[in-house]
Amino acid sequence: MVNTYGATTSSLAQAGDEEDANEHTAFLGDDRDLVTAVKDDKPDGHASMISSISNLANTIIGSGMLTFPLALASAGILPGMLTCVLSGSIAAFGLYLLSLCAAKAPHRRSSFFAVAQMTFPKAAVFFDAAIATKCFGVSISYLIIIKGLTPNVVSSLYHDLSDAEPPAWMLNGRNWLSIFMIILIPLAFLRRLNSLRHTSYVALFSVVYLLIIVVKCYFWPLDDMPPAGKIRLVHFTPNFVSTFPVQVFAFTCAQNLFPIYNEVKSNTQPRMNIIIGSAIGSATLTYEVIAVFGYLTFGTNVGANIIAMYPPNSLFVAIGQVAIVILVLFSYPLQVHPCRNCLDKVFHAGESVKQADNEETASEVEVDDHSIGDMSHTKHTILTLAIIASTFTIAYIVDDLKIVLSFVGSTGSTTISFILPGLLYWKLSRGDHGSKILNRAALALAAYGVCIFVFCLGFNIYQLVYPPASGSPAH
C-alpha cells in the first residue's frame, strides 16, 4: 500500500493571502523542491470549504434539472424520487472513492493521470483523453444553450417591460454568444478552480431563484398556466427509459474532484466527505424540489423543460430565464478547467522525471512530471485559447449537437463517474486486507458503470436509427 499524503497547516498558514495575488502560478502548485522538502514543509491548500462545496455543486447542477419533473411523470412520484436519491448516492460513492485515491497521489498533485500512473499506467493517457473529450463536448453544449436561449429571454423581457419590439440584432443568438465570450474568456484563463468561487456563488443564487419559481407557482399559480394532468404515485411509462439516464448523469462532477482536493485547506478525508456530501446533498435536494413541485403543478402534462411551462409574459418567470442563462454561462469555465489540464497530460504523456519522496523511501522512483509539475504560461495560454476558439466556433456554426453530445455524455460521464473511480480504487486497495468490503463495492461500482454505459450507448444508437416522433421529449 502507498501511504496517504496528509496536509499540514503549520508552516504556511500565512500563504492564504497570497492566493489571488499569485493567480499566475501553476494550477497544481508552485515550483518547489519536492525531493528535499520534508512533509511538514509541504504547502497546504488555500480554498475554503464553502468555495469548494460551491464549485462542486455548480459543476453538478445545470440546466438538466429542468427535466426532472418529466422524470417523475415517467415513473410516478415515489419511483422518481427514489431513483434521484439512488443516483445521487451512487455518484457520492464514486466521489468518495476518488478522494481515497487522491490521498495516495503525490501531495497536492492528484489527478486522474497521477492515480492512473499508479494503477493502469499504460491506459492513463486514454483516461485523460476521454475526460477531455467529455468536458469539451459539455462546454460546447453550454454555449449552444446560451445562443438559443438568450434571444427568447430578451424577447420576454422586452414584452414585459415595454411595448416596443426588441432590435433585430438582440434577437440573434450568435451576437449574444459573442458578447458573453467577453465575460467567459477571462474566467476560462484562471488557473485555480478556487478562483471561480464567486461565479459559482452567483450561479447557485440563480438556482435558488428557479426553486422559488417552481414552489411559488405551485401554491400561487400564475394566470394563463396550462391545466394540470393526473398525479400518480407509481406509474411507469416508456419515457422512463429516456429520463432515467438524465437522473444518472445529472450528478456528474468527478472531473473537478481532484482539483478541489488539491486546493482545499486541510484536505483530510472527513473534510472531503463533508464537501462531497454537501455538494451531492444540495444537488439532490434541488432536483427533488423542482421535480416534485413541477410535477404536482402540471401532472402528466409536464414538458421536458419546466421553465417553459410557465407563462412567458410574466416578469417573474422572465427573470428566471435570465437565471438559467447565468447558471449555464458560469458553468462553462468549470468544464474548460479540467479539459485543459487533461489535454496537458495527453500531449505530454511520455515525459517523466526521477524523484524520491523522503517520507516513502530514499530510492529513486519514477513519477510522471505532469502529475506533479506546473503548466508553463505558454502552454496554459495555447491550450486555453485552443479550447475557447474551437468551442466558440462550433457553437457559433452549429445549432444542434444533440446526437453527438448524447454519445459523448453517456459514455464520458459513465466512465469518469463510475467506471474509473471503481477500477482505480479497486486496483489501489487490492493488497489491503482491511478494506475487502470497500474493494468489492468499488468493483461493483465499476460493473454498474459498464451496465449504464452499454444501456445508454445502445439507447442512443436506437434513437439514431429510430428517431423519436416529433413532439416527444428530448433525451
Side-chain angles (χ1 to χ4, degrees):
M1 283 295 292
V2 181
N3 291 336
T4 299
Y5 288 79
T8 62
T9 58
S10 57
S11 60
L12 292 178
Q14 72 274 18
D17 296 334
E18 302 174 4
E19 165 79 7
D20 296 325
N22 292 315
E23 183 57 55
H24 63 280
T25 59
F27 159 64
L28 288 180
D30 54 323
D31 290 325
R32 62 182 66 243
D33 190 351
L34 294 178
V35 177
T36 58
V38 295
K39 187 173 182 179
D40 288 340
D41 291 332
K42 289 180 177 178
D44 193 14
H46 309 310
S48 67
M49 291 275 286
I50 294 178
S51 69
S52 300
I53 293 171
S54 298
N55 281 328
L56 194 60
N58 191 29
T59 306
I60 299 172
I61 303 174
S63 58
M65 65 180 175
L66 303 177
T67 309
F68 269 77
L70 182 63
L72 255 68
S74 66
I77 294 180
L78 296 181
M81 294 181 66
L82 181 62
T83 53
C84 180
V85 173
L86 179 63
S87 298
S89 301
I90 295 175
F93 180 60
L95 295 177
Y96 172 70
L97 294 181
L98 285 182
S99 66
L100 294 178
C101 294
K104 304 178 188 300
H107 181 77
R108 301 287 177 180
R109 302 295 190 269
S110 65
S111 66
F112 274 106
F113 193 89
V115 177
Q117 285 289 83
M118 299 185 295
T119 53
F120 304 97
K122 293 183 179 180
V125 65
F126 297 105
F127 293 164
D128 271 282
I131 297 168
T133 302
K134 186 265 179 188
C135 295
F136 183 80
V138 173
S139 62
I140 293 174
S141 71
Y142 286 157
L143 296 183
I144 291 178
I145 291 174
I146 292 172
K147 183 181 72 172
L149 185 61
T150 307
N152 296 333
V153 173
V154 171
S155 179
S156 296
L157 288 175
Y158 252 85
H159 290 146
D160 293 333
L161 299 177
S162 70
D163 296 330
E165 291 294 325
W169 72 268
M170 297 186 70
L171 298 179
N172 188 322
R174 290 179 172 85
N175 293 337
W176 283 108
L177 181 60
S178 301
I179 293 173
F180 283 135
M181 291 307 294
I182 298 175
I183 301 174
L184 293 179
I185 288 175
L187 296 176
F189 267 93
L190 295 177
R191 287 178 177 265
R192 300 182 185 274
L193 202 66
N194 185 48
S195 301
L196 295 171
R197 61 191 181 278
H198 301 298
T199 58
S200 292
Y201 298 153
V202 175
L204 293 178
F205 276 121
S206 301
V207 174
V208 172
Y209 187 86
L210 292 174
L211 289 174
I212 293 174
I213 290 179
V214 175
V215 174
K216 186 266 180 188
C217 290
Y218 169 70
F219 290 104
W220 299 279
L222 301 174
D223 296 332
D224 301 325
M225 287 179 57
K230 295 181 179 179
I231 307 295
R232 296 185 173 95
L233 290 179
V234 180
H235 181 70
F236 287 95
T237 69
N239 285 336
F240 180 73
V241 177
S242 62
T243 57
F244 176 69
V246 172
Q247 297 189 60
V248 173
F249 302 139
F251 294 93
T252 301
C253 64
Q255 66 271 19
N256 281 331
L257 191 278
F258 287 120
I260 286 174
Y261 181 88
N262 293 332
E263 297 181 18
V264 68
K265 297 176 183 177
S266 183
N267 55 2
T268 60
Q269 193 58 51
R271 286 172 63 84
M272 288 302 301
N273 292 344
I274 293 175
I275 292 173
I276 294 170
S278 299
I280 293 290
S282 60
T284 303
L285 181 62
T286 298
Y287 295 153
E288 293 282 27
V289 170
I290 290 179
V292 171
F293 283 96
Y295 178 59
L296 291 177
T297 301
F298 300 104
T300 53
N301 293 334
V302 70
N305 183 351
I306 185 63
I307 201 69
M309 299 293 297
Y310 301 108
N313 57 354
S314 168
L315 180 61
F316 178 60
V317 175
I319 295 176
Q321 294 176 332
V322 175
I324 296 175
V325 173
I326 294 174
L327 174 64
V328 176
L329 186 72
F330 289 149
S331 296
Y332 175 81
L334 292 172
Q335 298 296 327
V336 174
H337 193 276
C339 182
R340 177 180 58 229
N341 287 284
C342 288
L343 287 177
D344 176 43
K345 311 299 188 302
V346 172
F347 293 146
H348 300 85
E351 300 180 14
S352 62
V353 295
K354 288 188 179 286
Q355 295 184 357
D357 189 292
N358 291 332
E359 295 296 314
E360 292 289 331
T361 176
S363 62
E364 287 188 327
V365 292
E366 195 168 284
V367 184
D368 184 86
D369 184 43
H370 295 277
S371 68
I372 62 174
D374 295 337
M375 189 187 301
S376 68
H377 296 298
T378 302
K379 188 193 309 179
H380 176 270
T381 302
I382 292 175
L383 287 177
T384 305
L385 286 177
I387 295 171
I388 293 174
S390 53
T391 54
F392 171 76
T393 302
I394 295 174
Y396 190 89
I397 297 174
V398 180
D399 293 324
D400 188 7
L401 278 177
K402 184 173 64 175
I403 295 178
V404 176
L405 293 178
S406 62
F407 279 93
V408 173
S410 60
T411 56
S413 296
T414 305
T415 300
I416 67 175
S417 297
F418 310 125
I419 299 178
L420 283 186
L423 286 180
L424 294 177
Y425 182 80
W426 170 77
K427 187 66 179 291
L428 283 175
S429 63
R430 281 198 304 173
D432 188 352
H433 299 289
S435 59
K436 284 187 176 181
I437 295 179
L438 193 59
N439 181 272
R440 293 172 182 173
L443 197 58
L445 178 67
Y448 169 80
V450 171
C451 293
I452 295 295
F453 185 104
V454 173
F455 169 78
C456 292
L457 185 61
F459 180 74
N460 285 329
I461 294 175
Y462 176 83
Q463 283 200 320
L464 184 63
V465 177
Y466 303 101
S470 177
S472 62
H475 172 35

